[in-house]
Amino acid sequence: METAGVLTNQVDEKKIKAIKRQKKWAQIKTNRALYIMLFPGILYFVIFKYIPMGGLIIAFQDYQPFLGILGSPFVGMKHFIRLFTEDTFFMLMRNTLVIFGLDIAFSFPFPIILALMLNELRAARFKKFVQTVIYLPHFMSWVVVVSIFYVLLTTEGGVFNNIITYFGGEKISFLTNTEWLRPIYIFQQMWKGAGWGTIVYLAAITNVDEQLYEAADMDGAGKLRKMWHITLPCIRPTIITLFILKIGHVLDMGFEHMFLLMNPMNKEVAQIFDTFVYTAGIQNGQLSYSTAVGLFKGLVGLVLVVLANKAARKVGEEGIY
């Protein structure tokens, strides 16, 4: 009898699994258009993100291109020890963390403020016009953005320096002065990225229940109070999700932007991990060493994302997973 019962349970489990499988395939078939659109994105990440991870092995080798990965000698943690013991490491860490801190302090909240302000506009045409204007820089490459600011800030005929000299002041070397590099970098980040971030937050604001605003109006709440007590709490999950993702880029500030701003005069404060990987790996041919630096960046970002997600879940938020 016991054997018959066990067999019956196994048959039931198989039937349940078969039904679940059928439901999954039916769901995929129903939403096949969405999965087809998703496929190129998945393919991109597989080819350009996951498959190249196999090359991380050269961070533990003295890699020689003519010997290949299989023929290059294994050196263990040699390149990581070199990274942590050289004076360059502390300079890179300082520059990267300072830039990241400024980015979090100014660039991250700026789209939130813009979205809250745009949400209060009642003139639909003007609102669309403002959105279009602030979103246009998102489509420009960093080469174009930096070139525009070069024309504005250069000492040789730059617009700002022409204005300064017109009023009797002395020209300022914005592009070579170490004190101006970080403000210029952050301002460019804000100008280029604010439009995209604003769209994300405006989309989140549209999901706020209008009845909450109506109830606040009945209680006599002003616009600022409604922003603080209704809009911000309702879009908090979106803010936290984007913040967690931002934390993952603490040592990954992007190569192109800083590389275009960097020159021999401001290199002391402009050199970050991303530009150093290019300098060490491509220019100097230290492929194993640069891979070790890149792996270190990735691991730090992964750990911080996991910790930030755990912290978010502990305070009652959903997090990113």
Side-chain angles (χ1 to χ4, degrees), residues 61-191:
Q61 296 178 324
D62 188 7
Y63 178 71
Q64 302 296 329
F66 60 88
L67 293 177
I69 293 178
L70 298 178
S72 297
F74 184 80
V75 295
M77 302 296 291
K78 172 185 173 182
H79 301 297
F80 293 95
I81 294 172
R82 176 188 169 188
L83 170 65
F84 298 136
T85 54
E86 285 186 345
D87 294 337
T88 309
F89 175 76
F90 299 99
M91 181 265 291
L92 294 173
M93 184 64 75
R94 182 191 68 239
N95 292 343
T96 305
L97 290 180
V98 169
I99 289 290
F100 179 76
L102 292 172
D103 194 35
I104 287 291
F106 295 98
S107 300
F108 183 77
F110 187 56
I112 302 173
I113 297 170
L114 271 180
L116 292 173
M117 294 172 65
L118 285 172
N119 187 55
E120 295 301 321
L121 292 178
R122 293 295 171 258
R125 288 186 178 181
F126 180 68
K127 183 177 180 179
K128 290 180 180 178
F129 172 75
V130 173
Q131 281 184 269
T132 303
V133 170
I134 64 175
Y135 191 47
L136 280 175
H138 176 73
F139 295 99
M140 298 181 186
S141 69
W142 280 118
V143 175
V144 174
V145 172
V146 174
S147 298
I148 291 172
F149 279 82
Y150 177 84
V151 173
L152 294 173
L153 301 176
T154 181
T155 55
E156 302 299 327
V159 175
F160 283 94
N161 274 307
N162 284 343
I163 295 172
I164 291 171
T165 54
Y166 178 80
F167 287 101
E170 295 184 359
K171 291 183 177 181
I172 302 174
S173 300
F174 293 104
L175 302 175
T176 57
N177 194 321
T178 56
E179 294 179 359
W180 279 99
L181 173 75
R182 288 164 181 163
I184 291 172
Y185 178 94
I186 296 301
F187 184 82
Q188 289 175 352
Q189 286 277 12
M190 293 169 62
W191 184 64

Side-chain angles (χ1 to χ4, degrees), residues 196-264:
W196 170 254
T198 301
I199 286 178
V200 174
Y201 291 116
L202 280 174
I205 290 173
T206 57
N207 292 322
V208 179
D209 191 350
E210 289 294 331
Q211 292 181 354
L212 296 174
Y213 293 117
E214 293 172 3
D217 289 332
M218 293 177 66
D219 291 337
K223 290 184 178 181
L224 289 177
R225 283 190 172 275
K226 286 190 287 186
M227 282 184 191
W228 185 257
H229 294 289
I230 298 175
T231 310
L232 279 174
C234 287
I235 67 172
R236 185 171 59 188
T238 302
I239 295 173
I240 290 176
T241 298
L242 293 178
F243 181 75
I244 292 172
L245 295 175
K246 188 78 172 178
I247 287 291
H249 294 278
V250 60
L251 300 183
D252 186 17
M253 298 303 298
F255 162 75
E256 186 179 8
H257 185 194
M258 186 59 81
F259 182 76
L260 292 168
L261 288 174
M262 188 169 62
N263 56 60

Side-chain angles (χ1 to χ4, degrees), residues 18-31:
I19 292 171
K20 287 182 177 179
R21 217 178 295 121
Q22 289 175 359
K23 285 183 177 180
K24 284 182 180 179
W25 281 112
Q27 187 182 21
I28 292 172
K29 189 176 180 180
T30 304
N31 302 303

